[in-house]
Amino acid sequence: MDMMKVAATEKPSLSSPAALASTIKFIQIPKSETFLQPTLEQTRQTHALMVKTHFNETKFSPSAQFNFLITSYTKNSQPHSALDIYTYLRRMDYEVDNFMVPAVLKACSFVSNTQLGKEIHGFAVKNGLTEDVFVSNALIQMYSECDSVVSARLLFDNMYERDAVSWSTMIRCYVRSKLYMEALEMIRKMQILQIRPSEVAMISMITLFADLMDVEMGKAMHAYVTRNLEKMSFQLTTAFIHMYAKSGNLASARLLFDGLNQKTVVSWTAMIAGYIHCNKLEGGMKLFARMIEERIKPNEITLLCLVVESGFVGALELGKQLHVYILRNGICLSLALATALVDMYGKCGEIWNARAVFDSVKDKDVMIWSAMIAAYAQTHCIDQAFDLFVKMRENGVRPNQVTMTTMLSLCAETGALDMGKWVHTVIDRQAVEMDTILKTALLEMYAKCGDIDGAWKLFREVKDRDIGMWNTMMAGLGMHGCGKEALELFSEMEREGVRPNDITFIGLLNACSHAGLVEEGKLIFEKMVHAFALVPKIEHYGCMVDLLGRAGLLDEAYGIIKSLPIRANSIIWSALLAACKLHHNTVLGEMAARQLVYLEPQNCGYNVSISNIYAVANRWNDVAEVRKAMKNKGIRKEPGLSCIEVNGYVHEFIMGDKAHPEIEKINDMVSEMGNKLKEAGYMADTSAVLRNIDEEEKETALNYHSEKLAIAFGLISTAPGTPIQIVKNLRVCKDCHTATKLLSKIYQRVIIVRDRKRFHHFRDGTCSCGDYW
């Protein structure tokens, strides 16, 4: 019998060189023939026999034997063993050829070892191996899986020759990094060069259109496949099912699904996940039940996919049902599945269930620790998130980019600059690899925590900036009222040849709005449409309404709404309502509020805004009617909340707070602040109190606004001259803004306040916003 077929059907005994040769053939049989991949135990036995025979007792060369070991260890999820062999070979000056390099690069990808990957790249260049397209493609794949997109693209651009795999690998690289515009540009270039995409490339493109939820592009791809292929493969059909479902076109997805002659667990998973993604939970569960009835047993990937989708749409009950199914059927709760459950419960706000799953796992890896920390962050359990992060490090688990990005996002949300700086220190000390996403998260943390100079310094230090980092820096400058600086940075970005996207212009228009740069904002909008051929989205029109409305150009702002090519949504009307409240235009404000209450009847903010407009106009009967309607509908006003970080702890205050352990000292400081403000000529602006009570009561209410309590706590808890930094969930009222300007001068403190819209830097009696907010 042919020795290769013996190797394919029988488990060899590894007691002789003949058996060794037989085992090596496991991975050398042509792909068209069926063969068994050696198990980890077989690989180890083979390795031991090779060492015993000094790699010279078979007809295979030592190089082929080493190739076998590296490939087999990698395929058996033992990449470190594969890399140890490669390191040994280099140290002993063995020949490393173009067959071995791709296998070693695959192992690098498994462990995200970019440093070793770059060393192999240098070795390949030095030895002329990159002229082999197979090696170059493997390098691109390695950089992609290690999140080094810039290196992948640089290599792609400098390849001696490219095949269809090169293009599909680069497209997958962009899709993986969510750089969708760059992926689309690659597809356009393929079309121009008339490069026929492989099936892998087609699947990458379909995945891209699914992520973009661009059903029209997906349909065009479907038509292309139908025209050019005699028969659509199962993999392509499943990719189209996923694309249509994710784009909200369940009918087309179901048509393809029902047309499959033989449905596998993969196609069932794609279709059920599509129902869940589209929030058609009942349809998804019915299909899941039918799958069980037809004796298609869901595997771990099915359950993983469905749990992830449940978390994505916030389908708590469905997520719980899937969890119960796993437990009742005795399905092994793998680390991946446990991590997905923790993530799902966290996104649905069930932190206790997330913690229960987390605690049930004995051997926790970095991903499940990160998921639990993220769950605490999503439910605003700040202290618990930081405590768990510390515990994770105490358990010897090294944080990765995902962990640190979550921690930085939490610091950014709460304005905890000291904590953010500490996280930055941990990143440096733990030598966590700084990919572009993590660098951008760091930059955003500094910007959102009020240290725009720190953000700017970090931005300048980074060399491999992507569009996301440019956008974050421009948005940060805009938040701090640095509109002109944001526009200058945009000009610099243009000079460097970085193409802006729709998010770029949202940041720029917001920057113009906060700085009162009306004409500049109009020019930016025109440039977006005419110079960059970007179709304005509803968010861009919302920015324009906000820009004009803040400047008091209410009729012009309303004119934009009337001429919209799409129906105005809550983004548009809320921008107009805020402007009407600012400029006391009751007529337009009423109209905007009616639209908002119709669109989002349960949103308390819009009801409160129209109530406030009535209150300013002394229409107390109308105020009473609005509040009565809110009470009848069970709508509660969102309370003002101010946070301040002192000595690594975040303290929260609400108006009239009495719960803080140092409330007596805080109230004494509030009284002192009030007396010093009066001495400085301050008069309370009682128009900010929108209740029908007497003036004295209004003044008392103003004294105990949450930001004033936070300032008082900052004054008694920090050394003289220390900046005070506060984050507020609502817009700063006019009275608090005036008082804080004076307090910054009286106490010689820099007071930084981040409200719902922007930053205010108070110094020596003035504010960075120039009283324009």
Side-chain angles (χ1 to χ4, degrees):
M1 186 181 289
D2 184 80
M3 185 62 76
M4 287 195 294
K5 291 185 179 176
V6 170
T9 56
E10 297 179 5
K11 184 184 288 187
S13 169
L14 303 180
S15 58
S16 67
L20 171 59
S22 176
T23 304
I24 293 174
K25 288 181 181 178
F26 268 85
I27 63 165
Q28 294 188 329
I29 300 170
K31 290 183 180 179
S32 59
E33 295 189 42
T34 303
F35 68 96
L36 299 175
Q37 168 64 35
T39 64
L40 178 59
E41 184 59 31
Q42 287 175 317
T43 304
R44 285 172 174 163
Q45 288 180 28
T46 307
H47 190 177
L49 188 55
M50 285 178 177
V51 172
K52 185 178 179 180
T53 59
H54 302 289
F55 296 90
N56 58 11
E57 293 296 327
T58 78
K59 64 181 179 180
F60 294 105
S61 68
S63 178
Q65 295 177 53
F66 285 125
N67 280 344
F68 161 78
L69 288 175
I70 290 170
T71 302
S72 194
Y73 273 127
T74 303
K75 288 185 176 180
N76 280 290
S77 302
Q78 296 293 315
H80 290 291
S81 297
L83 294 176
D84 287 344
I85 292 170
Y86 169 76
T87 305
Y88 168 79
L89 292 177
R90 290 296 310 279
R91 190 169 64 247
M92 301 303 292
D93 205 26
Y94 270 91
E95 180 189 358
V96 175
D97 58 21
N98 56 337
F99 294 104
M100 188 181 295
V101 167
V104 179
L105 289 170
K106 186 68 178 173
C108 288
S109 300
F110 265 99
V111 295
S112 295
N113 192 334
T114 314
Q115 196 60 42
L116 181 57
K118 287 179 177 178
E119 188 272 330
I120 296 167
H121 187 178
F123 172 83
V125 171
K126 185 178 177 181
N127 290 273
L129 299 179
T130 49
E131 293 181 18
D132 186 332
V133 70
F134 186 54
V135 172
S136 291
N137 289 343
L139 280 163
I140 295 173
Q141 182 69 20
M142 180 275 295
Y143 281 125
S144 169
E145 292 185 12
C146 292
D147 297 317
S148 297
V149 183
V150 174
S151 298
R153 182 57 193 262
L154 193 63
L155 175 61
F156 176 85
D157 288 339
N158 289 287
M159 284 178 71
Y160 294 99
E161 63 171 310
R162 306 185 191 102
D163 59 10
V165 176
S166 313
W167 288 88
S168 64
T169 306
M170 196 64 231
I171 292 168
R172 279 204 314 276
C173 176
Y174 280 132
V175 173
R176 176 190 173 91
S177 301
K178 301 191 185 301
L179 298 171
Y180 301 130
M181 295 305 107
E182 288 82 352
L184 284 172
E185 188 61 31
M186 291 294 291
I187 292 170
R188 291 191 192 99
K189 285 183 178 178
M190 277 187 80
Q191 289 177 317
I192 292 168
L193 296 171
Q194 295 184 334
I195 296 168
R196 185 182 175 89
S198 63
E199 182 171 309
V200 174
M202 286 188 237
I203 290 171
S204 296
M205 293 177 194
I206 297 164
T207 303
L208 169 62
F209 303 142
D211 288 340
L212 290 171
M213 291 189 283
D214 191 335
V215 73
E216 293 308 315
M217 289 288 282
K219 284 179 178 178
M221 190 72 209
H222 195 171
Y224 173 86
V225 170
T226 305
R227 285 195 308 269
N228 290 276
L229 299 181
E230 290 182 15
K231 185 180 179 182
M232 196 187 305
S233 71
F234 168 78
Q235 289 82 0
L236 276 170
T237 305
T238 305
F240 278 120
I241 290 170
H242 171 69
M243 182 276 297
Y244 280 122
K246 197 168 183 181
S247 304
N249 192 338
L250 274 178
S252 296
R254 189 59 190 261
L255 195 65
L256 282 170
F257 176 76
D258 291 339
L260 285 170
N261 293 326
Q262 190 173 5
K263 299 177 181 71
T264 68
V265 68
V266 178
S267 53
W268 282 98
T269 300
M271 194 64 241
I272 297 166
Y275 272 102
I276 298 171
H277 184 82
C278 295
N279 229 347
K280 304 290 184 183
L281 305 182
E282 188 178 348
M285 286 312 295
K286 282 181 179 177
L287 203 59
F288 183 74
R290 190 179 137 199
M291 174 185 176
I292 304 299
E293 286 170 8
E294 296 192 13
R295 299 189 178 182
I296 304 292
K297 190 176 181 180
N299 58 21
E300 184 185 337
I301 294 172
T302 305
L303 295 166
L304 190 64
C305 183
L306 301 185
V307 170
V308 168
E309 286 294 348
S310 298
F312 179 79
V313 299
L316 177 60
E317 289 308 312
L318 177 57
K320 283 182 175 179
Q321 287 178 46
L322 290 166
H323 192 179
V324 168
Y325 177 87
I326 292 165
L327 296 173
R328 283 182 179 170
N329 288 273
I331 296 169
C332 178
L333 195 64
S334 67
L335 257 177
L337 201 48
T339 303
L341 284 166
V342 169
D343 180 66
M344 181 274 294
Y345 281 125
K347 285 175 178 172
C348 294
E350 294 244 333
I351 196 68
W352 48 91
N353 279 330
R355 187 60 195 249
V357 175
F358 175 80
D359 289 340
S360 71
V361 177
K362 289 183 179 179
D363 298 319
K364 301 178 180 72
D365 66 357
V366 66
M367 295 310 295
I368 196 164
W369 282 96
S370 300
M372 192 64 235
I373 291 167
Y376 278 129
Q378 285 159 350
T379 49
H380 307 290
C381 299
I382 302 162
D383 293 339
Q384 292 91 328
F386 272 92
D387 288 346
L388 194 65
F389 178 68
V390 171
K391 191 175 179 181
M392 171 187 170
R393 294 181 68 214
E394 289 172 351
N395 276 266
V397 179
R398 187 171 177 269
N400 62 8
Q401 293 103 321
V402 175
T403 322
M404 305 318 287
T405 300
T406 300
M407 295 302 297
L408 289 168
S409 298
L410 179 59
C411 295
E413 184 184 344
T414 56
L417 180 60
D418 288 343
M419 287 184 181
K421 286 180 176 178
W422 175 74
V423 172
H424 192 173
T425 303
V426 172
I427 291 170
D428 291 338
R429 285 179 180 171
Q430 294 276 321
V432 178
E433 188 171 349
M434 291 276 281
D435 60 7
T436 309
I437 294 171
L438 186 53
K439 288 174 188 173
T440 304
L442 257 176
L443 192 154
E444 184 178 46
M445 181 277 293
Y446 279 110
K448 285 191 172 181
C449 288
D451 188 359
I452 194 66
D453 292 333
W456 186 253
K457 181 175 178 290
L458 182 65
F459 178 79
R460 286 300 178 201
E461 288 172 355
V462 176
K463 302 303 177 188
D464 57 337
R465 306 180 195 121
D466 64 2
I467 185 62
M469 184 169 280
W470 285 95
N471 288 346
T472 301
M473 191 66 238
M474 282 184 274
L477 289 168
M479 283 181 68
H480 286 267
C482 307
K484 289 183 179 178
E485 290 85 346
L487 292 173
E488 287 169 5
L489 188 61
F490 175 65
S491 298
E492 181 184 333
M493 187 180 91
E494 284 189 284
R495 288 194 296 273
E496 290 198 14
V498 180
R499 182 177 174 81
N501 57 22
D502 56 337
I503 297 170
T504 311
F505 289 100
I506 291 171
L508 286 172
L509 290 170
N510 276 326
C512 291
S513 180
H514 291 313
L517 304 174
V518 177
E519 293 306 315
E520 290 87 343
K522 289 179 178 179
L523 288 172
I524 283 291
F525 188 86
E526 290 297 314
K527 194 167 193 175
M528 176 184 76
V529 175
H530 299 297
F532 293 100
L534 290 171
V535 178
K537 295 182 177 179
I538 198 76
E539 292 83 1
H540 298 106
Y541 288 113
C543 290
M544 287 303 295
V545 171
D546 185 59
L547 172 74
L548 297 167
R550 280 177 190 269
L553 303 171
L554 294 174
D555 290 337
E556 195 173 343
Y558 183 48
I560 285 180
I561 296 174
K562 289 192 290 185
S563 62
L564 278 177
I566 47 181
R567 186 178 179 183
N569 66 0
S570 56
I571 294 172
I572 300 289
W573 290 114
S574 61
L576 183 64
L577 178 60
C580 291
K581 182 184 173 185
L582 181 65
H583 296 287
H584 312 303
N585 188 318
T586 309
V587 176
L588 262 182
E590 275 188 284
M591 186 190 65
R594 280 197 299 270
Q595 293 289 338
L596 286 164
V597 171
Y598 170 76
L599 289 168
E600 297 182 23
Q602 293 303 118
N603 190 312
C604 69
Y606 306 141
N607 289 278
V608 171
S609 290
I610 190 60
S611 171
N612 293 347
I613 288 172
Y614 288 146
V616 170
N618 290 317
R619 291 169 57 177
W620 298 108
N621 289 336
D622 291 325
V623 171
E625 284 297 317
V626 172
R627 291 186 175 172
K628 182 181 177 182
M630 286 175 66
K631 187 176 180 180
N632 291 339
K633 293 176 184 176
I635 302 171
R636 288 189 173 187
K637 179 185 175 183
E638 181 184 6
L641 178 72
S642 293
C643 303
I644 179 171
E645 182 193 22
V646 176
N647 298 326
Y649 288 92
V650 176
H651 301 258
E652 296 181 345
F653 295 91
I654 59 171
M655 180 180 171
D657 205 324
K658 296 179 182 178
H660 197 279
E662 296 188 56
I663 194 62
E664 289 185 12
K665 292 180 182 178
I666 293 168
N667 286 338
D668 289 343
M669 178 52 73
V670 168
S671 297
E672 180 188 307
M673 285 160 48
N675 292 332
K676 290 195 174 186
L677 281 169
K678 284 180 181 178
E679 289 172 10
Y682 160 79
M683 290 184 65
D685 183 357
T686 55
S687 67
V689 180
L690 304 172
R691 287 184 286 167
N692 194 12
I693 55 178
D694 63 41
E695 289 299 304
E696 188 175 344
E697 286 180 288
K698 287 183 178 181
E699 285 189 29
T700 303
L702 287 171
N703 286 338
Y704 293 93
H705 272 194
S706 63
E707 54 263 61
K708 284 180 181 168
L709 292 174
I711 291 170
F713 179 67
L715 289 170
I716 66 172
S717 305
T718 59
T722 306
I724 293 172
Q725 195 155 317
I726 294 163
V727 175
K728 185 173 182 182
N729 64 330
L730 304 176
R731 185 175 176 272
V732 173
C733 76
K734 189 176 179 182
D735 176 76
C736 285
H737 191 269
T738 303
T740 307
K741 284 195 295 182
L742 285 169
L743 289 169
S744 71
K745 187 174 184 179
I746 292 166
Y747 289 97
Q748 289 297 292
R749 297 283 194 114
V750 172
I751 303 174
I752 302 168
V753 178
R754 186 184 97 195
D755 69 9
R756 177 172 279 180
K757 292 289 185 180
R758 59 166 298 154
F759 274 91
H760 300 265
H761 294 254
F762 298 95
R763 188 193 303 265
D764 295 326
T766 63
C767 179
S768 60
C769 73
D771 297 335
Y772 185 87
W773 88 103

